[in-house]
């Protein structure tokens, strides 16, 4: 039987990235003379990748962003974020121990994020976490991204997993929907960046700390 595969979202699930994302976002929109966004805005801006985050920040301030402006702003964001990461970004409490426990039982692990793949890989590299994962896919890895099922299915294939032995873990609607669309169980964490109560999204299970992410929990979801 194929080893179970646990697929994680990145921002707000594996890592608390909000402070560094906001710093780079504010650096980016400063080029447009726009005022900075705050932590209170992050749940509305994070989760669909850097481009959408920039677009939403502009919309938040009533600025009409043109298609000609976007490439320069994207590069400004990518350069600043790449040069400053990991900044103050850290894994959520209990995460590293949970990853180690799953790996010790022969589980495969992967990352499926809407963040650009290069940024996701660089961030995980600098936090010395890359070695835990069979593969890392981003919002630009495939022609589609979460919540399209093919993003998760492609991640599973790259990880050498079986979609029927896969569980998705995330903090937002994209993660719960991609799991549902791909027909796999989902685990939600409430400490991320969802702008609605995570329980309203209908995950298979909610965990409140990574101490709860055990092989027994995963096997129970797969057997359900």
């Amino acid at each position: 039987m194929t080893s179970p595969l646990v697929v994680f979202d990145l921002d707000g699930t594996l890592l608390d990235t909000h402070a560094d994302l906001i710093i780079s976002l504010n650096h980016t929109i400063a080029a447009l003379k726009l005022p900075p966004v705050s932590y209170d805005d992050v749940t509305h801006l994070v989760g669909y990748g850097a481009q959408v985050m920039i677009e939403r920040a502009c919309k938040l301030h009533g600025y009409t962003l043109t298609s000609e402006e976007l490439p320069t702003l994207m590069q400004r964001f990518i350069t600043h974020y790449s040069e400053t990461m990991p900044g103050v970004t850290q894994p959520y409490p209990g995460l590293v121990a949970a990853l180690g426990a799953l790996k010790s039982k022969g589980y495969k692990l992967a990352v499926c994020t809407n963040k650009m793949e290069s940024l996701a890989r660089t961030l995980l590299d600098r936090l010395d976490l890359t070695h835990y994962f069979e593969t890392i896919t981003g919002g630009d890895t495939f022609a589609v991204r979460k919540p399209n099922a093919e993003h998760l299915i492609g991640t599973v294939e790259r990880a050498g997993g079986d979609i029927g032995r896969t569980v998705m873990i995330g903090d937002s609607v994209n993660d719960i929907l991609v799991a549902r669309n791909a027909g796999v169980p989902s685990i939600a964490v409430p400490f991320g960046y969802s702008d609605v109560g995570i329980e309203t999204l209908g995950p298979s299970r909610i965990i409140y700390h990574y101490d709860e992410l055990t092989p027994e929990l995963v096997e129970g979801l797969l057997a359900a």
Side-chain angles (χ1 to χ4, degrees):
M1 183 178 292
T2 305
S3 299
L5 172 65
V6 181
V7 182
F8 295 84
D9 173 51
L10 186 67
D11 297 292
T13 300
L14 282 174
L15 306 175
D16 186 359
T17 56
H18 78 270
D20 295 301
L21 288 171
I22 288 177
I23 290 169
S24 290
L25 178 59
N26 284 333
H27 171 79
T28 301
I29 65 175
L32 301 173
K33 305 295 191 293
L34 295 180
V37 297
S38 69
Y39 174 74
D40 291 337
D41 300 314
V42 73
T43 55
H44 303 285
L45 301 177
V46 176
Y48 293 85
Q51 177 175 322
V52 174
M53 191 162 61
I54 293 167
E55 291 170 341
R56 288 182 174 182
C58 290
K59 185 177 181 180
L60 186 68
H61 291 308
Y63 183 88
T64 302
L65 186 64
T66 68
S67 57
E68 291 77 16
E69 290 172 308
L70 188 56
T72 300
L73 291 173
M74 276 290 293
Q75 191 54 56
R76 182 177 171 90
F77 177 90
I78 292 166
T79 298
H80 186 272
Y81 191 52
S82 298
E83 289 177 351
T84 58
M85 68 173 58
V88 297
T89 290
Q90 290 291 326
Y92 283 103
L95 172 73
V96 174
L99 297 179
L102 292 170
K103 292 285 282 187
S104 71
K105 293 293 186 180
Y107 283 41
K108 294 181 177 182
L109 309 175
V111 174
C112 178
T113 174
N114 278 346
K115 199 186 207 80
M116 291 175 61
E117 182 181 335
S118 61
L119 294 179
R121 288 184 176 275
T122 300
L123 182 55
L124 290 167
D125 281 347
R126 293 183 185 175
L127 290 170
D128 194 27
L129 295 173
T130 303
H131 62 95
Y132 285 105
F133 303 106
E134 303 296 324
T135 193
I136 299 162
T137 68
D140 57 344
T141 303
F142 307 108
V144 297
R145 57 171 58 190
K146 297 183 294 183
N148 191 301
E150 293 303 320
H151 189 175
L152 179 54
I153 292 168
T155 302
V156 172
E157 291 173 350
R158 289 194 177 201
D162 178 346
I163 197 68
R165 297 276 290 160
T166 296
V167 171
M168 177 74 202
I169 302 182
D171 70 306
S172 70
V173 62
N174 279 339
D175 306 311
I176 307 309
L177 281 180
V178 77
R180 189 173 301 145
N181 293 340
V184 308
S186 59
I187 298 174
V189 295
F191 41 72
Y193 309 142
S194 178
D195 56 354
V196 299
I198 199 73
E199 69 281 352
T200 68
L201 302 178
S204 306
R205 179 72 181 268
I206 300 173
I207 60 172
Y208 297 88
H209 191 283
Y210 273 114
D211 289 350
E212 299 175 60
L213 180 58
T214 62
E216 293 76 18
L217 171 62
V218 176
E219 286 291 356
L221 289 172
L222 293 175

